[in-house]
Amino acid sequence: MNPVPAKFAINAVARLRDQREEEGIKPIQARGWRATRCRACRVIESHCLCAWRPQVETRSGVCLIMTNKEVFKPSNTGWLIADVVRDNHAFIWSRTETDQQLLDLLADPQWQPYLVFPGEYVEPERVTNTVDVDSSKRPLFILLDATWTEARKIFRKSPYFDRLPILSLLPEKLSRYRLRRSTRSEHLCTAEVAALCLDLAGDSAAASALDAYFDVFSQHYLDAKQQLEMNVETPAHAELKPFVQNTAPVIG
């Protein structure tokens, strides 16, 4: 696999995938798994996304808590967040074992962690709808990157999250995510949630870049799946272009 250019941060989700594969854990064989995909962006090679990876500065950080299956899914959008936010972290959740690196991250004094979760499931005194952008600490958004059923389980069975404030989002838009079906249209995918968090934290450029990157990814992914020619002359590509540097795709 070709190395990621130095100007890009290491994608923690990609690193997590590589670690799981080295441990002998095989990817799930979902529909379309036989298609040859770009190692760096997970999209079918004919519609590679790598040349459209944005580069933008962020004060915020993100931490993705993932399941074993999620880290291998090519439709996962947590990967996009890690492409955009330079300070990105990802961990596989386990009910019986806690990664010490995760605990160290939550205790790091440079960060103010916010666990992003619906406020209706939490004691009101823990819930906030805003992010303190004037704090000496940088916001660190903890995102449960899993199905809704799995996310609720992670939330209930992770006592190290009990002391964290809960950031409950009030999205004005329904989800634009078209790659998987949700039983509730108001459920946002992980990338959409992260974009809202970044905007609340004052990282508006990163929020816009992530929103556009998400739309471009969705188009590339679906066009490849439907065997349509790649079209980069779309409104989503035009929105993303200001955040993209001239760089050759990274294909591994």
Side-chain angles (χ1 to χ4, degrees):
M1 181 176 65
N2 293 337
V4 176
K7 65 181 178 180
F8 288 124
I10 296 298
N11 185 311
V13 182
R15 183 170 54 194
L16 199 57
R17 174 203 60 189
D18 294 345
Q19 291 173 350
R20 305 309 278 176
E21 289 181 347
E22 290 174 1
E23 294 168 0
I25 299 173
K26 296 181 179 180
I28 59 172
Q29 295 184 355
R31 179 180 298 179
W33 71 276
R34 293 182 183 276
T36 302
R37 297 181 180 275
C38 171
R39 180 73 178 172
C41 72
R42 306 153 299 138
V43 178
I44 291 173
E45 286 186 346
S46 60
H47 291 63
C48 177
L49 188 72
C50 291
W52 290 92
R53 180 175 177 178
Q55 185 179 6
V56 61
E57 294 299 321
T58 57
R59 182 170 181 264
S60 307
V62 294
C63 175
L64 297 157
I65 308 299
M66 311 182 74
T67 61
N68 271 316
K69 291 182 180 180
E70 194 66 38
V71 75
F72 286 119
K73 291 178 180 177
S75 57
N76 171 266
T77 68
W79 191 293
L80 304 177
I81 304 166
D83 264 356
V84 173
V85 179
R86 180 167 294 276
D87 285 309
N88 65 88
H89 309 265
F91 300 92
I92 296 292
W93 182 78
S94 169
R95 185 180 62 82
T96 57
E97 298 180 7
T98 305
D99 193 317
Q100 184 59 47
Q101 290 185 334
L102 171 58
L103 299 180
D104 292 343
L105 176 66
L106 296 179
D108 188 328
Q110 74 169 304
W111 297 114
Q112 171 54 67
Y114 292 90
L115 179 59
V116 184
F117 203 75
E120 62 204 80
Y121 299 95
V122 189
E123 302 86 348
E125 58 270 19
R126 289 183 64 192
V127 178
T128 181
N129 303 121
T130 61
V131 174
D132 185 0
V133 296
D134 296 323
S135 172
S136 59
K137 294 187 175 184
R138 299 162 61 196
L140 176 70
F141 299 112
I142 313 299
L143 303 169
L144 307 184
D145 192 12
T147 67
W148 175 233
T149 300
E150 292 167 336
R152 284 186 296 179
K153 180 180 179 181
I154 293 171
F155 180 79
R156 293 195 312 268
K157 297 183 180 295
S158 303
Y160 42 89
F161 289 146
D162 290 349
R163 64 179 180 82
L164 302 182
I166 302 299
L167 178 60
S168 181
L169 300 175
L170 304 173
E172 297 178 355
K173 299 178 181 179
L174 297 180
S175 176
R176 309 187 313 281
Y177 188 48
R178 298 170 290 157
L179 308 186
R180 300 186 218 162
R181 292 181 180 178
S182 173
T183 56
R184 295 175 61 182
S185 61
E186 69 270 24
H187 280 178
L188 302 176
C189 75
T190 311
E192 291 173 302
V193 169
L196 290 172
C197 292
L198 291 170
D199 195 47
L200 284 174
D203 283 318
S204 55
S208 297
L210 180 55
D211 263 336
Y213 191 40
F214 165 69
D215 286 338
V216 168
F217 166 70
S218 297
Q219 182 190 322
H220 282 229
Y221 192 102
L222 290 173
D223 284 356
K225 182 178 179 180
Q226 297 166 10
Q227 299 183 344
L228 300 175
E229 290 187 7
M230 185 166 66
N231 176 18
V232 299
E233 303 298 328
T234 70
H237 286 83
E239 289 182 17
L240 181 59
K241 195 170 184 178
F243 302 104
V244 176
Q245 304 295 318
N246 294 325
T247 181
V250 180
I251 302 177

